[in-house]
Amino acid sequence: MLPSDTTAVENNGPFHTPLVAHLAWCLTSPSLVTHLDDNFNTLLTLSRQHDLEWLAQLDMQPSSLLDYLNTHNQRLLGSYFECLWQFYFSRHPDWELLEHHVQVFDATRKQTLGELDLLVQHIPSQQYFHIELAAKFYLRHPEQTGLDEEHWLGPQTNDRLDLKLGKLYKKQLPFLHHDATQTSLIERKLDHPYQQALIMKGYLFHPWQQEKTLTNTTNKAVLNGEWLHENDFEHLLLKNKDQHWAILPKHNWLGPFNSQHIDALVSDGDTINKAIALHFKESPYKHALMLVMLTSSKEGLIESQRFMLVHNKWPNKNI
């Protein structure tokens, strides 16, 4: 197994191309979890200096990344995250992407049994890896301590940290060893001695103004923010007068805000408050908003704090 680094930094750069900045976040941000199951290598975190040098070169000539994303499905945030990793393993000189989204089909039942996210080879070590990918954003239930995995919900509450981890170690990672999978890999000439790894990145959001807590499986260096209901945003504004704000489009959830990337989204408190009110007025249970508070620096406005804004009845009703 390649060395893992659970204290990877959140951002390196700055990178002038937004897509490169997102890829850098994928490579260098802390893993969300540090332990999954004793039977699997649970982390593959890459933050070597030559990765940063490679990113810097890509930032100067990003056309290959732009072309790759334009020719692959990256409409949803999860698909975008996967595409960034596919590009990394296919273009970085230390890696070879053998296959992605390896679907295993049962001809008898005429149905797909499952799929493997990535099969890659680390060229210097000649090691092979089966990698599962996940980009997750979990909010701590307002009536729970956050010490158990089931206390952490996705923004739409139909996803939970315990359910995701259970699916990973009971189904997704063991699927490599399924008889049908092994047969399929042999037929595709992809039968190698694979090590298994998880790349799971994201943020945990604690209830606004409450103590931060973590589960035993959570990385202590995990990126975090606070969540609050729509009605509480005016109180947040009162505590942070004269600050600038930005609502992040879904793909920009991956990594810290930089005003060089999406400057048009920057607004003062009154303007952002009206935008939030309109967003939830159109549909009271509309999807959550990712909101960042900004501060001035020599690079311009940069993110100082991140918030997830949810409808007033969350988590009692799904969208």
Side-chain angles (χ1 to χ4, degrees):
M1 183 64 182
L2 298 177
S4 296
D5 177 10
T6 58
T7 60
V9 295
E10 177 181 354
N11 187 32
N12 290 280
F15 297 101
H16 301 290
T17 308
L19 301 178
V20 176
H22 297 161
L23 177 55
W25 179 85
C26 291
L27 295 175
T28 64
S29 64
S31 297
L32 200 151
V33 295
T34 57
H35 182 264
L36 184 61
D37 185 272
D38 291 338
N39 296 321
F40 305 109
N41 293 312
T42 59
L43 300 174
L44 185 64
T45 304
L46 309 167
S47 59
R48 300 181 193 83
Q49 184 60 37
H50 66 272
D51 286 324
L52 300 179
E53 293 170 355
W54 177 78
L55 286 166
Q57 293 175 357
L58 181 64
D59 195 34
M60 291 187 289
Q61 296 181 314
S63 58
S64 58
L65 176 57
L66 299 175
D67 292 342
Y68 187 91
L69 292 172
N70 285 335
T71 55
H72 289 76
N73 175 25
Q74 40 99 19
R75 182 177 64 87
L76 301 176
L77 180 62
S79 301
Y80 179 54
F81 180 76
E82 292 175 356
C83 281
L84 290 171
W85 277 105
Q86 292 164 20
F87 175 84
Y88 171 79
F89 285 118
S90 65
R91 300 303 174 92
H92 193 285
D94 284 354
W95 293 93
E96 180 183 0
L97 177 62
L98 304 176
E99 192 62 82
H100 64 86
H101 294 116
V102 182
Q103 292 192 341
V104 178
F105 186 74
D106 186 329
T108 303
R109 300 179 182 178
K110 296 183 179 180
Q111 66 180 22
T112 300
L113 299 177
E115 71 173 30
L116 309 175
D117 282 351
L118 292 174
L119 298 177
V120 303
Q121 181 185 21
H122 184 241
I123 296 171
S125 67
Q126 293 296 297
Q127 291 179 298
Y128 293 91
F129 292 89
H130 160 222
I131 299 173
E132 288 298 312
L133 299 168
K136 291 293 180 178
F137 302 82
Y138 290 112
L139 292 69
R140 195 180 88 201
H141 193 288
E143 299 174 359
Q144 302 293 344
T145 63
L147 298 177
D148 296 327
E149 292 159 359
E150 65 185 27
H151 298 169
W152 295 91
L153 311 177
Q156 297 187 45
T157 70
N158 56 358
D159 180 22
R160 290 201 322 245
L161 179 57
D162 64 316
L163 298 177
K164 178 58 181 177
L165 295 183
K167 183 179 179 181
L168 279 162
Y169 73 76
K170 292 180 180 178
K171 182 178 180 180
Q172 290 178 261
L173 287 165
F175 188 62
L176 174 71
H177 305 292
H178 192 288
D179 289 344
T181 305
Q182 290 298 308
T183 299
S184 179
L185 293 178
I186 292 172
E187 292 173 349
R188 303 181 194 201
K189 301 186 185 305
L190 292 172
D191 50 320
H192 300 290
Y194 292 104
Q195 298 185 53
Q196 293 188 283
L198 167 65
I199 296 176
M200 190 173 187
K201 302 298 182 85
Y203 287 78
L204 295 183
F205 292 85
H206 308 271
W208 182 46
Q209 296 184 317
Q210 290 190 24
E211 181 183 2
K212 296 178 181 179
T213 55
L214 298 173
T215 72
N216 290 332
T217 58
T218 306
N219 184 357
K220 292 182 180 179
V222 67
L223 302 176
N224 60 76
E226 295 180 284
W227 72 262
L228 63 160
H229 291 117
E230 175 206 352
N231 282 349
D232 292 323
F233 181 65
E234 289 191 8
H235 300 291
L236 178 63
L237 276 181
L238 290 174
K239 291 177 175 292
N240 298 277
K241 294 180 180 179
D242 303 322
Q243 297 292 332
H244 283 82
W245 304 81
I247 297 173
L248 300 185
K250 204 67 174 286
H251 283 28
N252 292 96
W253 288 21
L254 303 184
F257 169 92
N258 187 311
S259 59
Q260 297 180 44
H261 301 167
I262 42 176
D263 192 46
L265 297 175
V266 175
S267 302
D268 59 31
D270 289 340
T271 303
I272 213 77
N273 194 26
K274 292 176 182 177
I276 290 169
L278 179 62
H279 173 84
F280 287 104
K281 181 179 179 180
E282 291 176 347
S283 175
Y285 307 112
K286 204 167 184 181
H287 62 80
L289 294 176
M290 186 75 79
L291 184 70
V292 292
M293 186 167 64
L294 307 173
T295 188
S296 298
S297 75
K298 60 181 180 181
E299 289 85 19
L301 290 172
I302 61 172
E303 178 178 336
S304 61
Q305 197 167 354
R306 179 171 293 220
F307 302 90
M308 185 81 79
L309 204 62
V310 296
H311 62 77
N312 290 325
K313 292 187 178 181
W314 192 93
N316 297 322
K317 182 178 176 63
N318 292 343
I319 294 175

